[in-house]
Amino acid sequence: MSADMYLAYDYPLLGAFWTMLWFFLWIMWFVLLFRVVLDIFRDDSLNGWAKTGWLVFCIVLPFLGVFVYVIARGKSMGRREVAQARAQQNAVDAYIRETAGGGRTSSVDELARLSDLRSRGDITDEEFARAKDMVLVGAAPAGRATSVTGTQNASGTSATPTSRG
């Protein structure tokens, strides 16, 4: 048999464990290094020379530079990370509120539409006044609801106004 075939027998399970451990530690080291470099650029409290000094320190002596940075500025690094996460969450929440509320019409739009319906004669002055009150209050009275184009009667069925014309 060739030497390649015995390779699996010559590499014990504990050796595979140590190899995987060192591999993951190596990956974690690069993740930490990149996070430190990104934090150096993100920090607004540091001026340009301080950022340059930390960056050179982390590049020339990476192990020592990263460990000293984490010891010296680790707490503020965590605060900046939390602040950025909150700002991103607020931006997402604002976007969702803006997008979800985009389908709604404002009360000014509703009043303009009601006025247009009244001027065309599609609704009476009484229906206009009732619908205007509901738009201005922001909610329909309990048990009754109206829409811009029609009203509901006591039984809950829609009664569209008759057109005059």
Side-chain angles (χ1 to χ4, degrees):
M1 295 194 150
S2 68
D4 293 336
M5 200 150 199
Y6 291 111
L7 182 63
Y9 296 113
D10 292 339
Y11 198 66
L13 183 61
L14 187 60
F17 171 75
W18 284 111
T19 301
M20 293 300 291
L21 179 69
W22 283 111
F23 178 73
F24 285 118
L25 286 175
W26 184 68
I27 296 296
M28 285 177 28
W29 165 252
F30 278 107
V31 168
L32 181 62
L33 178 66
F34 290 134
R35 286 183 61 113
V36 165
V37 169
L38 288 174
D39 188 67
I40 290 171
F41 286 112
R42 181 177 32 202
D43 190 5
D44 292 334
S45 67
L46 291 176
N47 62 18
W49 288 108
K51 287 181 182 186
T52 304
W54 277 113
L55 196 58
V56 167
F57 189 34
C58 287
I59 290 173
V60 172
L61 298 170
F63 288 106
L64 186 62
V66 168
F67 290 138
V68 169
Y69 186 86
V70 169
I71 290 170
R73 303 183 52 82
K75 188 180 283 188
S76 60
M77 186 176 170
R79 288 185 187 137
R80 281 187 295 279
E81 188 72 27
V82 168
Q84 182 193 14
R86 283 189 183 142
Q88 282 181 331
Q89 185 64 43
N90 290 340
V92 168
D93 290 344
Y95 173 75
I96 290 172
R97 266 189 251 106
E98 177 184 321
T99 304
R104 292 189 211 146
T105 57
S106 68
S107 59
V108 174
D109 294 335
E110 290 287 327
L111 289 174
R113 214 170 324 158
L114 283 171
S115 177
D116 184 44
L117 286 172
R118 184 180 66 174
S119 66
R120 287 187 309 191
D122 290 340
I123 60 174
T124 65
D125 289 336
E126 178 185 316
E127 291 171 332
F128 173 77
R130 207 170 350 146
K132 182 177 86 168
D133 290 340
M134 288 182 191
V135 167
L136 293 177
V137 170
R144 291 188 57 160
T146 63
S147 65
V148 173
T149 59
T151 59
Q152 289 185 348
N153 57 23
S155 65
T157 59
S158 179
T160 57
T162 58
S163 175
R164 297 181 201 163

